[in-house]
Amino acid sequence: MSTGKSLKARAVDLLSRREHTRLELKRRLAPFVQEGDDLDAVLDELAGNRWQSDSRFAEQFADSRSRKYGSRRIAMEMRERGVDADTIKATLSGRSDLATARQLWLKKFGQPPADAAERAKQMRFLASRGFGMDTIRQVIKGSDDWPDEHDGDL
């Protein structure tokens, strides 16, 4: 007889705090597997009962991270957590990075670059946040749909 919680109880405890991917749960529960335990069967049961869902995790993760990061970085982080490519694509397909990139750029810099060095700095900042070069170029050079207070600046 094992002393301590069952794998299922540990998994439910983890899932009660936040969503986890199957891979995350597997990594977290692996140290507690004892002889005769079938971790994959426990994970299958949790997924079958919809207590664990990679797609639900992906939606919540993307929602929380999209305030600070672009879709490239979010996709990379989801891949690291074991979310499959199709789920990532479905989750991020309807999202636009442009508004988020503009908001972050305005908060950090607020004005167009004065020279090439400043331009490179602003571009590196947005790239490090996971935005693509097309989005970065649009934000740095500005466009017709900027708010009125920035019309003459760019």
Side-chain angles (χ1 to χ4, degrees):
M1 185 80 189
S2 67
T3 61
K5 292 182 180 179
S6 70
L7 288 177
K8 184 176 178 181
R10 289 178 189 279
V12 170
D13 282 350
L14 291 169
L15 290 168
S16 70
R17 293 185 193 110
R18 73 165 177 88
E19 291 290 339
H20 290 269
T21 64
R22 182 181 180 101
L23 181 62
E24 286 178 321
L25 280 179
K26 194 170 192 168
R27 287 178 181 161
R28 298 280 304 266
L29 296 173
F32 302 102
V33 173
Q34 297 178 1
E35 190 174 328
D37 288 342
D38 187 357
L39 180 55
D40 286 323
V42 171
L43 296 174
D44 290 342
E45 179 185 351
L46 293 171
N49 290 332
R50 302 255 324 127
W51 292 353
Q52 185 278 322
S53 167
D54 282 358
S55 60
R56 195 170 54 229
F57 168 86
E59 283 292 330
Q60 289 184 353
F61 187 81
D63 286 344
S64 69
R65 301 293 277 175
S66 66
R67 293 180 201 99
K68 292 180 75 175
Y69 299 104
S71 56
R72 287 179 174 204
R73 178 157 174 177
I74 294 169
M76 178 199 64
E77 290 179 0
M78 281 197 267
R79 275 191 303 277
E80 290 173 353
R81 287 167 170 77
V83 179
D84 65 271
D86 291 337
T87 303
I88 293 171
K89 185 176 180 180
T91 302
L92 299 177
S93 65
R95 299 175 187 265
S96 171
D97 286 346
L98 189 56
T100 304
R102 283 184 178 161
Q103 178 186 4
L104 289 170
W105 178 85
L106 281 170
K107 184 177 179 181
K108 176 84 172 171
F109 301 104
Q111 59 188 357
D115 57 21
E118 181 66 19
R119 179 181 176 84
K121 178 181 177 182
Q122 291 182 13
M123 291 177 84
R124 279 192 309 272
F125 169 76
L126 291 173
S128 73
R129 292 296 179 110
F131 298 103
M133 284 308 295
D134 290 342
T135 302
I136 292 170
R137 284 188 197 104
Q138 281 184 288
V139 170
I140 300 290
K141 76 175 181 177
S143 66
D144 295 334
D145 57 344
W146 278 95
D148 290 340
E149 66 267 13
H150 294 287
D151 283 346
D153 296 345
L154 304 171

